[in-house]
Amino acid sequence: VSCTMLAIAAAAAGEQDTALELARKACDAREPGLVLFARVFPDYQRLRDDPRFDEILRRLKLPGMGG
């Protein structure tokens, strides 16, 4: 199971710290699912308000998301 999918599950369960750690690992591994889901997946909405998620998005270099 990818870190991206585990991050989604953790975010949906309200486990923000775990979700962010898993999203960071997905970013480090350059998992394509993170790129696809970071912008639109509803369960990531809570994470989008967290500066740590902004940093992950900046590291992904997604246009219009975190720089």
Side-chain angles (χ1 to χ4, degrees):
V1 177
S2 72
C3 287
T4 298
M5 295 315 227
L6 293 172
I8 289 170
E15 298 290 333
Q16 185 138 333
D17 290 336
T18 300
L20 287 163
E21 178 61 21
L22 289 162
R24 185 194 60 75
K25 288 179 181 182
C27 177
D28 290 346
R30 305 299 293 173
E31 289 184 11
L34 182 63
V35 173
L36 294 171
F37 293 129
R39 295 171 178 259
V40 297
F41 205 75
D43 288 323
Y44 275 143
Q45 184 57 49
R46 287 180 224 151
L47 302 183
R48 290 186 200 112
D49 295 330
D50 191 303
R52 297 173 291 177
F53 196 66
D54 284 342
E55 177 58 29
I56 292 167
L57 295 178
R58 274 193 291 280
R59 289 176 50 210
L60 288 172
K61 299 181 180 180
L62 298 175
M65 290 291 293

